[in-house]
Amino acid sequence: MKKFFTKDFWQLPEFMHDKHLRVLALITVFVTVICVILAFSTNIILGYVSVILALIMIVVAYVTLKTITEDTTEYISDLSYRIKRGEQDALIKMPIGILFYDKANLIEWINPYMQRYFGKQEVLGKPLLEVDAQLYDQVKNYQGKGKEIEVKLHDRSYSLIIQKDIHAIYLMDVTKYAKIRQRYEDTRVVVGQIFLDNYDEVTSAMNDKDISNLGNFVTNALSDWAREFGIYLKRVDEDHFFILTYAKTLAVLEEEKFKILDEVRKWTSKQNSPVTLSVGIAYGGSDLTKLAKLSQNNLDLALGRGGDQVVVKAVEGQARFYGGKTNPMEKRTRVRARMISQALTELMHQADQIFVMGHKHPDMDSLGACLGIRRIAAMNGKQCWIVLDKEDVHSDIERLLTELEQYPNIKGSIITPEMALEKATKDSLLIMADHSKPSMAIAPDLYEALKNRVMVIDHHRRGEEFPDNPILVYIEPYASSTCELITELFEYQSKDSEPINKIEATAMLTGIIIDTQSFAIRTGTRTFDAASYLRSVGADLAMARHFMKENVTSYMQRNHLVERTEFNDGIAICCGEEERIYDPVIAAQVADSLLNVSGVEASFVITKRASGKIGISARSNGTKNVQVIMEEMGGGGHLSNAATQIEDTTIAAAKKQLLAILAKEQENKE
């Protein structure tokens, strides 16, 4: 009876603390009371029976629910204990290394799996840097990024997660899966094409025996090379091979810089039959058709850059170049010039009008080439507009424009980019002269409007940036200048039309003289032939010298830059003052003049431009490929004449980057 009156007895049982159960109990009691009242109102005996039954039912329900609650509570308690113990066991035994460290990077706790990583050494309380420098560097580099990364530690691969908020490191060994992935990457298919650049030219003057010997050597050399590296090689034509290999092999070939190029070139040169190879290689995709097409595009790029080189490019990635160290002048033939001249004539007849434009900051070669193309268009009875921004020209171009005042027809054909865009129609033809990069065009909007009706005539090596669908391409990296290429086209034009006049011939000859530094570099027999032709049709050397004169300011600026030049191991590097703006033409002239110094093989002039960019003008006497160097810095050009412009940097930083590239190049040679 004492228990009946205790406070604990009358407290709500644990299962009645639930709100929903309390509501259900009240409803049940209410319904029971109503039923008892109805029973009493009907029959008093039935009422007493109902009361007894209701009490029995309530007691049974109470005892049952209490028993279930106690059993459930006991089960939950047991389950919670087992879960907690399981968590502790998992934390200790799970195959993931766990490490906790404090703010001072001292190791506070590790699980047994993490101890396996450290071996038998004692690590608790020690700095992470002292225990494992590699792991410390990874934690330092990726701390706070909050995502899983894969790292290489002690020749094994690990999945690393760092929780900065609780100072925890999770390390899981994924070496097995990393090896599977690496094997997959190593065995991805690589498709390539090899072309003998000048096979037809070399064999045209050879007898059958020598042709057979040359073909056998090249085939055997390529076969031995393919066998050494496990490459499938198939000869498609006399001068065309197809190769199939894996990405792992490609990595080895790139590491050795495709030495097969040098081997073939050296042996054939000794036999007085110099043959060079151009190779286009594609990888990084599963569609073999797309890879084959990309390999052909890469081969075209290698040929467009002058041949004797390899172009390697992934389906999604930047092209990498190997070779391209030679400057074989004699690869060009007049047959190609005749074919281009005829094709150009047909394109002009199909167009309603022609637009020709050079590159930004035009030089005499650029504008001279435009004048030459305008004359070819006139010979074919077509209107040709020269697109020029007169606000962005150097003193030599200003002098030429002044002389053109005496030639109203030519002067009236020179229009601004805005006027050209208004005149352009879907049937117009756009010719890009002395450049092949749309970003360098004087009128980028005009290019966008006529990008499906574009022809390229250039003497610079082709780069990655190139018009998407040019209808005709005439790129000859072995030519001295674009004016030389245009001059050769006149020979195959109609003789009945009005010939090239004095001012046009003089402008084109001036372009050749400037680009060859008065016929000192990049000059072949074809260059002299072109100059001789221009002289015969009225080119005036006195006027050419007048165009090339510089004003006092330019002369003083040029001398100022020359005084700041440093010479070292055949390299001349000239750096302008950090905050002083220099004319890009002056910088180019300084780079040219530095080659006249005894022992200088290459020159680099680094100056700040009006646009705020840092420009580098690079020149070479042919022994060093400055185009490859400038391409690494985001530019391009020719083997012995290249340049680049770099944003958001300083002259000192640009010089440091250039020196690093030159040092790396020297190491590769050694």
Side-chain angles (χ1 to χ4, degrees):
M1 289 296 291
K2 288 182 179 180
K3 183 179 179 181
F4 182 79
F5 293 103
T6 60
K7 182 179 179 183
D8 292 339
F9 183 83
W10 289 101
Q11 282 186 343
L12 287 174
E14 187 175 346
F15 67 85
M16 289 299 290
H17 287 284
D18 186 276
K19 179 180 178 182
H20 298 89
L21 287 178
R22 289 202 302 270
V23 172
L24 181 62
L26 290 173
I27 293 173
T28 304
V29 171
F30 179 75
V31 171
T32 304
V33 171
I34 295 299
C35 292
V36 170
I37 292 172
L38 291 174
F40 271 107
S41 63
T42 304
N43 188 308
I44 192 169
I45 296 174
L46 181 61
Y48 285 118
V49 172
S50 299
V51 169
I52 294 170
L53 291 175
L55 291 174
I56 293 172
M57 182 185 69
I58 291 172
V59 171
V60 171
Y62 175 83
V63 172
T64 303
L65 286 173
K66 187 174 182 181
T67 302
I68 292 174
T69 302
E70 291 174 351
D71 291 344
T72 303
T73 302
E74 183 180 354
Y75 172 76
I76 292 174
S77 298
D78 181 61
L79 181 62
S80 299
Y81 169 75
R82 285 189 287 118
I83 290 174
K84 189 173 182 179
R85 183 176 179 181
E87 288 176 349
Q88 293 175 346
D89 288 345
L91 192 65
I92 294 173
K93 298 178 181 179
M94 69 187 335
I96 297 177
I98 302 174
L99 181 150
F100 290 98
Y101 60 96
D102 61 16
K103 294 181 180 180
N105 288 320
L106 298 177
I107 299 175
E108 293 183 320
W109 181 86
I110 61 172
N111 68 342
Y113 194 85
M114 195 70 175
Q115 184 65 60
R116 275 202 246 166
Y117 170 80
F118 291 117
K120 295 182 179 180
Q121 64 175 319
E122 291 291 334
V123 299
L124 295 181
K126 293 183 178 180
L128 183 58
L129 176 61
E130 179 185 322
V131 173
D132 193 307
Q134 289 188 29
L135 180 59
Y136 174 79
D137 290 339
Q138 297 294 347
V139 172
K140 184 178 178 182
N141 292 335
Y142 296 102
Q143 188 170 234
K145 294 191 177 180
K147 60 180 181 179
E148 181 180 351
I149 57 169
E150 187 174 310
V151 296
K152 197 90 170 178
L153 299 170
H154 308 294
D155 298 325
R156 296 189 70 82
S157 297
Y158 293 91
S159 177
L160 174 66
I161 300 176
I162 303 169
Q163 283 188 287
K164 187 178 179 181
D165 53 341
I166 62 172
H167 295 92
I169 299 172
Y170 304 94
L171 204 64
M172 188 164 115
D173 193 338
V174 293
T175 305
K176 176 181 177 181
Y177 307 105
K179 287 181 177 179
I180 294 173
R181 184 177 65 253
Q182 187 61 49
R183 184 177 180 184
Y184 165 74
E185 293 294 339
D186 289 344
T187 54
R188 298 194 74 176
V189 175
V190 173
V191 176
Q193 300 191 50
I194 302 175
F195 185 76
L196 308 185
D197 298 334
N198 49 348
Y199 183 80
D200 290 338
E201 289 85 346
V202 170
T203 58
S204 60
M206 297 172 65
N207 57 43
D208 291 344
K209 179 181 177 182
D210 292 337
I211 293 174
S212 177
N213 290 337
L214 177 63
N216 288 337
F217 165 75
V218 173
T219 303
N220 290 336
L222 290 175
S223 297
D224 292 341
W225 170 72
R227 194 179 305 111
E228 178 184 355
F229 293 100
I231 301 170
Y232 172 78
L233 176 75
K234 178 67 176 178
R235 188 167 191 164
V236 179
D237 206 340
E238 288 183 342
D239 55 1
H240 195 186
F241 295 81
F242 175 81
I243 60 175
L244 200 64
T245 187
Y246 294 122
K248 185 177 182 180
T249 303
L250 175 61
V252 176
L253 296 176
E254 290 191 80
E255 186 177 348
E256 66 154 20
K257 310 295 183 184
F258 289 90
K259 291 182 179 178
I260 185 66
L261 298 180
D262 299 329
E263 293 175 5
V264 171
R265 186 193 324 109
K266 288 178 180 178
W267 188 91
T268 55
S269 296
K270 290 179 181 178
Q271 306 302 316
N272 296 321
S273 53
V275 172
T276 57
L277 305 179
S278 288
V279 186
I281 294 178
Y283 70 100
S286 56
D287 189 334
L288 293 179
T289 302
K290 185 180 291 185
L291 287 176
K293 184 177 180 180
L294 180 59
S295 69
Q296 181 62 55
N297 292 340
N298 291 343
L299 177 60
D300 293 341
L301 178 56
L303 293 170
R305 290 166 53 86
D308 189 29
Q309 59 192 281
V310 181
V311 177
V312 180
K313 187 176 184 296
V315 174
E316 299 291 340
Q318 298 293 319
R320 301 187 293 278
F321 305 99
Y322 301 91
K325 299 176 182 178
T326 60
N327 191 19
M329 277 286 186
E330 302 306 324
K331 284 187 182 179
R332 291 167 55 214
T333 65
R334 294 192 181 275
V335 175
R336 178 162 167 77
R338 175 174 55 80
M339 293 173 59
I340 293 295
S341 183
Q342 292 173 352
L344 176 59
T345 300
E346 292 177 6
L347 288 174
M348 286 184 169
H349 284 304
Q350 294 170 8
D352 59 353
Q353 56 185 336
I354 296 100
F355 295 90
V356 58
M357 65 177 174
H359 51 74
K360 295 176 182 176
H361 313 299
D363 53 17
M364 289 299 293
D365 185 38
S366 175
L367 187 54
C370 291
L371 290 171
I373 291 172
R374 194 207 72 86
R375 173 54 59 187
I376 292 176
M379 289 178 171
N380 289 278
K382 288 292 182 179
Q383 174 65 57
C384 179
W385 304 102
I386 299 174
V387 184
L388 180 67
D389 182 2
K390 296 181 181 179
E391 302 299 322
D392 183 27
V393 295
H394 195 250
S395 58
D396 54 351
I397 303 299
E398 289 179 348
R399 296 189 188 97
L400 174 57
L401 293 176
T402 301
E403 290 292 333
L404 287 176
E405 296 290 347
Q406 303 176 32
Y407 300 85
N409 290 339
I410 300 178
K411 186 73 174 179
S413 298
I414 300 177
I415 59 176
T416 64
E418 293 75 20
M419 294 173 62
L421 194 59
E422 291 177 3
K423 292 177 178 292
T425 68
K426 62 181 181 65
D427 295 320
S428 300
L429 174 66
L430 174 63
I431 300 177
M432 298 170 62
D434 201 35
H435 72 294
S436 60
K437 293 184 177 181
S439 62
M440 292 180 61
I442 288 178
D445 292 338
L446 181 63
Y447 165 77
E448 287 296 327
L450 298 176
K451 61 183 179 181
N452 293 321
R453 298 276 299 163
V454 173
M455 176 185 178
V456 177
I457 303 179
D458 191 16
H459 74 111
H460 298 102
R461 294 194 176 200
R462 175 180 166 180
E464 278 194 84
E465 184 186 351
F466 199 73
D468 294 331
N469 299 299
I471 54 180
L472 185 61
V473 176
Y474 188 30
I475 295 180
E476 289 289 358
Y478 326 109
S480 69
S481 57
T482 308
C483 284
E484 178 186 330
L485 296 176
I486 302 298
T487 301
E488 290 184 343
L489 301 183
F490 281 107
E491 182 180 343
Y492 308 103
Q493 294 299 315
S494 172
K495 306 299 186 221
D496 299 330
S497 54
E498 183 181 352
I500 183 173
N501 61 29
K502 175 182 175 180
I503 190 68
E504 292 166 337
T506 303
M508 295 179 71
L509 180 59
T510 306
I512 294 175
I513 292 173
I514 291 175
D515 272 25
T516 60
Q517 293 185 38
S518 298
F519 303 99
I521 60 172
R522 295 194 307 276
T523 305
T525 57
R526 305 278 286 278
T527 309
F528 289 107
D529 289 344
S532 176
Y533 170 80
L534 294 172
R535 190 76 177 87
S536 68
V537 295
D540 188 341
L541 288 176
M543 186 182 292
R545 285 194 296 271
H546 169 67
F547 291 153
M548 290 186 289
K549 284 183 180 180
E550 55 185 325
N551 56 39
V552 175
T553 303
S554 298
Y555 182 79
M556 296 299 291
Q557 194 178 76
R558 185 158 59 88
N559 288 337
H560 162 73
L561 284 172
V562 171
E563 289 177 355
R564 298 176 62 84
T565 305
E566 300 174 5
F567 299 91
N568 187 24
D569 294 332
I571 305 295
I573 299 179
C574 171
C575 296
E577 297 176 3
E578 285 287 354
E579 300 303 323
R580 184 172 175 178
I581 304 299
Y582 294 85
D583 190 315
V585 176
I586 299 298
Q589 290 174 347
V590 172
D592 288 331
S593 64
L594 289 175
L595 288 180
N596 296 325
V597 178
S598 177
V600 173
E601 297 178 351
S603 62
F604 301 88
V605 179
I606 310 172
T607 58
K608 187 174 183 179
R609 304 286 172 85
S611 62
K613 298 178 182 178
I614 301 301
I616 303 180
S617 293
R619 299 292 185 271
S620 165
N621 61 4
T623 58
K624 188 177 290 292
N625 190 339
V626 293
Q627 179 210 4
V628 175
I629 297 172
M630 290 297 97
E631 282 181 337
E632 286 195 46
M633 301 184 73
H638 193 276
L639 181 143
S640 57
N641 184 337
T644 187
Q645 294 186 43
I646 311 173
E647 295 185 25
D648 302 324
T649 188
T650 62
I651 291 177
K655 178 184 177 182
K656 184 178 180 181
Q657 184 182 356
L658 174 62
L659 289 173
I661 294 172
L662 292 172
K664 181 181 177 182
E665 185 184 61
Q666 187 62 33
E667 288 178 5
N668 291 335
K669 283 186 178 180
E670 294 173 355

